[in-house]
Amino acid sequence: MALYIDDRRFTDFIHSHLAVPTVYSQIGWTQQNVDNQLLQYADINHAIDYVFDCNGRRITVQERFRDIKYQKYNDFTIRYRRDLNPNAGRVKSEYYKMAADYFTYGITDCAKEQMESCREFVKVAIIDMHKVYEKIDAGKIYVVDNRLNFSRIMGDCIECPIKYNRDGSSSFFPIDIRFLVQLWGNEMVIFNKGF
């Protein structure tokens, strides 16, 4: 539980100190105030962390931020399953319930333990999840337990391996952001720095 609290504290800090002023404001998105209980429900049931407005259009966002030790990676990760979770309703994770319009994934210039020293994103991208969902539904992005460490291009598809967290808490799959752009252009990734 302490690990989740530390991750949440880091994510909240990066959201307010980096993402809002250096990414969302740059593309004209304004964060909306949403009741905390409603936002918690949206997170648990639909993998939505925040709601923004852009010229009168409501935008929902899932966020994940990593510290500097992840800078060598070029993928964003979607949580897949939590097979050991005692709550049966929470075994299926983000992949099965995600309804966010966009996924913001960023890697900071600092360590999580020194988050107050973060000044910028080394890498950050905003992925259009509706386009990702379309590719998943069409079989162009697919998940397979192939024991590999990274996603790979297979013809005109992206094959994503299931990865297991060392602590057994969950599994996830990576999608290389560069592959999204390579196969389907910049409309898949509407904001990109460093990927």
Side-chain angles (χ1 to χ4, degrees):
M1 185 65 155
L3 184 60
Y4 172 80
I5 292 169
D6 289 344
D7 285 347
R8 184 80 252 167
R9 189 177 302 125
F10 177 73
T11 295
D12 290 344
F13 182 87
I14 298 306
H15 169 80
S16 61
H17 288 83
L18 288 184
V20 170
T22 69
V23 176
Y24 299 128
S25 65
Q26 188 174 347
I27 60 174
W29 291 7
T30 306
Q31 185 173 332
Q32 301 299 289
N33 290 325
V34 178
D35 175 75
N36 282 341
Q37 285 184 323
L38 186 58
L39 209 52
Q40 184 176 17
Y41 175 86
D43 183 24
I44 291 170
N45 295 291
H46 303 293
I48 293 171
D49 290 325
Y50 294 100
V51 178
F52 292 87
D53 176 84
C54 181
N55 299 320
R57 184 174 143 241
R58 185 185 79 120
I59 297 166
T60 57
V61 175
Q62 168 75 11
E63 289 183 337
R64 182 144 317 112
F65 301 125
R66 301 288 190 226
D67 70 7
I68 190 72
K69 71 183 176 188
Y70 291 90
Q71 71 178 332
K72 69 180 181 179
Y73 298 104
N74 290 305
D75 46 40
F76 75 105
T77 57
I78 296 177
R79 292 184 187 109
Y80 192 55
R81 295 182 56 86
R82 291 185 164 106
D83 289 323
L84 300 180
N85 195 309
N87 182 334
R90 294 190 181 174
V91 170
K92 291 183 175 179
S93 198
E94 286 173 348
Y95 174 74
Y96 297 94
K97 62 185 177 182
M98 188 175 275
D101 299 316
Y102 295 94
F103 195 121
T104 301
Y105 194 84
I107 299 169
T108 64
D109 65 344
C110 65
K112 188 185 301 182
E113 298 77 22
Q114 287 93 35
M115 66 184 156
E116 292 81 12
S117 70
C118 289
R119 298 293 172 253
E120 65 180 347
F121 287 110
V122 174
K123 298 178 180 180
V124 63
I126 301 177
I127 297 101
D128 184 332
M129 290 306 292
H130 292 293
K131 295 197 183 322
V132 171
Y133 305 145
E134 287 171 9
K135 297 300 182 188
I136 289 171
D137 289 344
K140 297 295 186 182
I141 297 175
Y142 60 93
V143 180
V144 62
D145 198 355
N146 61 11
R147 306 207 190 286
L148 296 179
N149 289 322
F150 301 100
S151 58
R152 61 185 178 171
I153 293 177
M154 301 294 288
D156 63 347
C157 300
I158 300 176
E159 180 181 84
C160 305
I162 298 172
K163 302 298 301 163
Y164 299 90
N165 286 313
R166 290 184 190 126
D167 64 2
S169 63
S170 64
S171 60
F172 63 93
F173 63 92
I175 302 175
D176 194 307
I177 294 167
R178 300 167 306 168
F179 296 167
L180 294 174
V181 174
Q182 181 179 336
L183 290 177
W184 300 299
N186 290 327
E187 72 273 1
M188 290 287 278
V189 181
I190 66 159
F191 184 93
N192 185 353
K193 173 193 170 190
F195 286 106

